[in-house]
Amino acid sequence: MVNIISFPAFGVTLSVSPVAFYIGSKGIYWYALIILSGFALGLLLASAGCEKRGIKKDHVWDIALYGILAGILGARIYYVLFSFDEFRGDIMGIFKIWEGGLAIYGGIIGAILSTVIYCRAKKINIFNAFDVCCVGLLLGQAIGRWGNFTNCEVYGKVTSSVFGMSINGGDPVTPLFLYESAWNFLGIAFLLFIRDRKTKNGQIFSIYIFWYALGRLILEGMRDPDYILYLIPGRLGISQAVSAVLIIVSLVLLRYVTKSDKEYFKSISSI
């Protein structure tokens, strides 16, 4: 199916198919290609200069490989746990991840857990590994959101904004995928700017968590209610609740790893 996506305020209209090309009768989806591209570019960014920051390149590649496998598993488990009603009559559907149903927060949790296990096994400083890898992770997230664009998903309520996006002639809606991607790219620039200013391992990772969670907290409130997994029906989405908790966790973690390092807070406040 080809979708007609337009940005009326800019006079831009695009014909977008979720399928990039076919191999025989098997369709290769843009979503998968974009996710893989984000993973590859994020890995390259994380591994660039990693050794001067105390992490071997081979370790970064291993962390990324285990992270994507654990991330897919975590993303699926998270989605199933909070959407279990969808699978009551089809338990085997839990395993059909190719039909959709992955939650990004579950993916992040899965990747974090696999990284902790790997670092403990290899006797690598866990917080330093997180600092090195989180910039690449955020790049993968920024690029990956464009897979939602090709699938015509992750959009918000009807809007009069100049950035409003019309799908197949419908009323313009909020392009959340675009907003989140832009927010993540800004976060990448910020993290790259401050990462060599860190004075303690874990500071960059803490700021990554804060930045990403803050963006999700704001944007989830703009999402189409039909695409929200609710913790309190009609009032509080699960992702919003998780984002709020992570913001608090990130601030506590930053304080913990920094331990009143006045020079670090001074360098950040001067940016």
Side-chain angles (χ1 to χ4, degrees), residues 15 52 59 78 106 170 190 231:
S15 297
K52 76 175 185 179
H59 289 321
Y78 186 103
F190 182 62
L231 184 63

Side-chain angles (χ1 to χ4, degrees), residues 204-230:
I204 305 304
F205 179 61
S206 301
I207 294 171
Y208 156 75
I209 295 175
F210 176 84
W211 185 276
Y212 184 73
L214 178 61
R216 285 300 297 269
L217 180 65
I218 296 170
L219 294 176
E220 282 295 317
M222 303 164 63
R223 187 184 284 261
D224 185 326
D226 291 339
Y227 292 90
I228 296 177
L229 297 176
Y230 281 105

Side-chain angles (χ1 to χ4, degrees), residues 2 9 20 26 36 59 62 64-65 148-149 152 158 177 184 187 191-192 200 207 212-213 219 230 241 253:
V2 175
K26 179 65 175 179
L36 288 174
H59 289 321
D62 286 345
L65 176 60
N148 300 126
F149 170 71
C152 290
V158 173
F177 78 91
N184 289 346
L191 293 181
L192 288 175
K200 298 289 179 64
I207 294 171
Y212 184 73
L219 294 176
Y230 281 105
L253 180 60

Side-chain angles (χ1 to χ4, degrees), residues 127 200-203 206 252-260:
F127 282 134
K200 298 289 179 64
N201 291 327
Q203 290 169 336
S206 301
V252 172
L253 180 60
L254 180 61
R255 174 70 178 179
Y256 169 76
V257 299
T258 301
K259 293 181 180 177
S260 301

Side-chain angles (χ1 to χ4, degrees), residues 145-225:
R145 275 307 179 197
W146 286 88
N148 300 126
F149 170 71
T150 63
N151 280 355
C152 290
E153 58 189 9
V154 186
Y155 53 84
K157 303 171 184 177
V158 173
T159 180
S160 58
S161 167
V162 294
F163 297 107
M165 176 182 70
S166 174
I167 302 173
N168 296 325
D171 292 332
V173 293
T174 305
L176 292 182
F177 78 91
L178 175 62
Y179 292 171
E180 185 171 333
S181 181
W183 177 259
N184 289 346
F185 275 118
L186 284 174
I188 292 164
F190 182 62
L191 293 181
L192 288 175
F193 185 71
I194 67 171
R195 68 177 177 177
D196 289 329
R197 293 170 176 252
K198 79 172 189 177
T199 57
K200 298 289 179 64
N201 291 327
Q203 290 169 336
I204 305 304
F205 179 61
S206 301
I207 294 171
Y208 156 75
I209 295 175
F210 176 84
W211 185 276
Y212 184 73
L214 178 61
R216 285 300 297 269
L217 180 65
I218 296 170
L219 294 176
E220 282 295 317
M222 303 164 63
R223 187 184 284 261
D224 185 326

Side-chain angles (χ1 to χ4, degrees), residues 49 62-63 68 88 99 133 135 143 161 164 188 203 249 267 270:
D62 286 345
I63 287 171
I68 194 170
R88 289 189 184 279
E99 294 183 356
C133 295
V135 181
I143 293 172
S161 167
I188 292 164
Q203 290 169 336
V249 169
S267 69
S270 66

